Amino acid sequence: MSTGNKVWETGPAELVNVSRLFNDQAALPWMLASAAIVRAHKIISSRVAAVLADAGGLSMARYEVLGLLYGVDSGELAVRELKRASFLHPPTLTYILDWLEERELVFRRGNREDRRSVLIQITDAGKVLFEKATIALGEIDFGLQGLGKDDANAVAQYLGRVKRA
């Protein structure tokens, strides 16, 4: 096995091992990048999940849906727009919307302009919970503790290039 392409010599053991096993593979840089992202996602997700659970029983997906609604001026989006923006499967989104609606964080109403469509609107209680959760996540740097501001911006820039096919 060649050692000419020393992409990962130090770092998480899993990635060092992958680097050694697949050192001669042309796709190694992308394999390592993908593995590093998945690993980071798991670490960040566990940190964020603990904070969101304490901030009102939210999951990341519930928080994201509230954030999408909070982020639009009208505070409402059609279900299909939420699905597209959140990348959630329809049954998962329905389950999340049911959970949020039961807690009066959102409400559903028919769309007068398109009767086939349902609009979801964030309530005042939903806005308050989203703000509370956002403050709590900010206290842990959204799960990215140890990453400086410049590094966080660079990660956002690089990963922002990944587009949905």
Side-chain angles (χ1 to χ4, degrees), residues 15-96:
L15 297 182
V16 172
N17 289 338
V18 166
S19 181
R20 288 184 186 137
L21 290 171
F22 296 97
N23 196 35
D24 292 332
Q25 296 293 319
L28 180 62
W30 293 273
M31 180 189 295
L32 290 172
S34 182
I37 291 167
V38 169
R39 182 179 183 281
H41 175 265
K42 290 175 182 178
I43 293 167
I44 295 164
S45 293
S46 67
R47 293 173 180 170
V48 166
V51 169
L52 289 176
D54 288 345
L58 291 175
S59 65
M60 190 62 205
R62 293 168 184 159
Y63 173 79
E64 181 183 11
V65 168
L66 287 177
L68 289 168
L69 294 167
Y70 186 93
V72 294
D73 290 336
S74 65
E76 71 180 15
L77 289 170
V79 172
R80 73 177 168 278
E81 293 169 316
L82 279 172
K83 179 183 144 318
R84 191 174 318 120
S86 68
F87 298 96
L88 294 169
H89 293 284
T92 303
L93 181 58
T94 299
Y95 174 77
I96 289 167

